[in-house]
Amino acid sequence: HQSIDYIKIPNLSRSYDPEFLSNGLLENAGNHMIDWVKSVNVKGLKVELIVDQGKTPLIFIEVDGTKPDAETILLYGIFLVFTMPISF
């Protein structure tokens, strides 16, 4: 039930959370996603949370290719949740 635990984090984008630099919610959500990615046990996986001062965190994931001549692929996504009041 990792997705439910993720949704419980009151994580908002910097546009909606004036305290995003100090409350740690974006980092908490990012670390939660990193834990899930690591749990999948992908061979050759490297993952880290990059936090630059004054900016929202970035999850960087790299997976080694399976062939020596494999080309690089870049995928991009965001991990924000726009929460609405719900009860569990």
Side-chain angles (χ1 to χ4, degrees):
H1 298 15
Q2 291 181 353
S3 58
I4 291 174
D5 292 337
Y6 175 74
I7 291 170
K8 287 182 181 180
I9 302 169
N11 176 38
L12 299 172
S13 78
R14 62 188 291 169
S15 299
Y16 298 97
D17 182 2
E19 304 296 321
F20 81 96
L21 289 173
S22 60
N23 63 23
L25 296 172
L26 287 170
E27 289 89 350
N28 189 4
N31 285 320
H32 187 82
M33 292 190 71
I34 286 174
D35 289 343
W36 177 82
V37 168
K38 287 179 178 179
S39 76
V40 178
N41 295 319
V42 173
K43 183 179 178 181
L45 174 79
K46 299 174 201 91
V47 60
E48 68 178 297
L49 186 70
I50 299 171
V51 182
D52 285 337
Q53 186 176 6
K55 298 182 180 175
T56 56
L58 167 75
I59 298 173
F60 183 80
I61 300 172
E62 183 178 1
V63 179
D64 295 335
T66 57
K67 297 180 181 180
D69 60 344
E71 295 189 29
T72 300
I73 299 172
L74 173 67
L75 303 173
Y76 172 81
I78 61 171
F79 64 93
L80 299 175
V81 173
F82 297 94
T83 57
M84 295 183 285
I86 57 174
S87 59
F88 290 93

